[in-house]
Amino acid sequence: MKTNHCLDWMNQGYVLLSQFLLIFINISSSQVLFEEINAANLHPRTFHLSPNQEFEVISKVLCEGLPCPEYSIMQDHPYFIQQRSYRAFTFLRLTTPITCMFKFSVAEGAKRMKKYIEGANNRDQVYSPTLPLLIEIEHTGSKSTNPWCVMKYSANFYTPHFWGIMATPTEIFEEVGSLPDNLQVYVHTFSGDVSDVLLREIELFRRNLDTLGFCYKKKKFYVAIYNIPHNPNDSRNELWFTKCTK
């Protein structure tokens, strides 16, 4: 009798549970408990930056608000390679090309730039700093076994066009250079002490460009240093390889 009584209670429990589930299903069909996301109704925010606006954003991040050469980003490639198009710009040569002595070119270039903008010119004109310190590197064809001695280096100081005619330096020979409009370069960014890691980064950059099948000029290229004076613990450096022209 006790067994039958327990079975009756169990059967009644199943009936009640079934009725409750039916009621819950009916309520769920008429009321949405969790709102479903309709992907077709989502509209991502889109906006367009003019070239000037784009560069303004870039300069604040990359150049910390200081004057620097203007460019547009053409495309981002694998291996974190960026393709840029630079507008024409001029620079003041701070050191003459010298072989083997990359570290000297960086240090001497930074020192001479500092003196020039602080008034070491025929007008005693004080200028604001600019970025980057641009090191031009050119292969010499030397058979030296020292990898630093197969290249020559010269340091250059970017001079914005809105500065007009520049004051003549008093401590260095005045030599002004320029890069053409719409200069297409592939850019590789790296950090660390540029004198310690440059050879490795050059080799890595070349290997990645070759893997992608990109054509670039191999004899002459540039290193852009954005932290002057150079701080190995907080530095941003770039390699610029010029894209081949047809």
Side-chain angles (χ1 to χ4, degrees), residues 11 15 102 199 212 221:
N11 289 333
V15 170
F102 173 79
L199 294 178
L212 294 171
F221 55 97

Side-chain angles (χ1 to χ4, degrees), residues 132-197:
L133 179 66
L134 193 63
I135 310 297
E136 181 180 281
I137 301 179
E138 187 170 359
H139 283 277
T140 62
S142 169
K143 303 298 182 182
S144 173
T145 56
N146 183 340
W148 292 105
C149 293
V150 300
M151 298 176 283
K152 57 184 179 181
Y153 316 94
S154 59
N156 303 282
F157 165 54
Y158 165 63
T159 56
H161 65 85
F162 55 82
W163 281 2
I165 299 175
M166 296 289 296
T168 303
T170 55
E171 296 192 11
I172 57 175
F173 178 75
E174 182 180 23
E175 183 182 355
V176 177
S178 63
L179 289 176
D181 197 32
N182 196 32
L183 177 71
Q184 300 270 327
V185 297
Y186 296 115
V187 179
H188 168 76
T189 302
F190 62 100
S191 60
D193 189 331
V194 66
S195 300
D196 289 342
V197 302

Side-chain angles (χ1 to χ4, degrees), residues 44-57:
R45 181 180 296 176
T46 59
F47 55 89
H48 173 74
L49 294 178
S50 70
N52 287 337
Q53 290 171 326
E54 179 186 29
F55 179 71
E56 185 178 351
V57 173

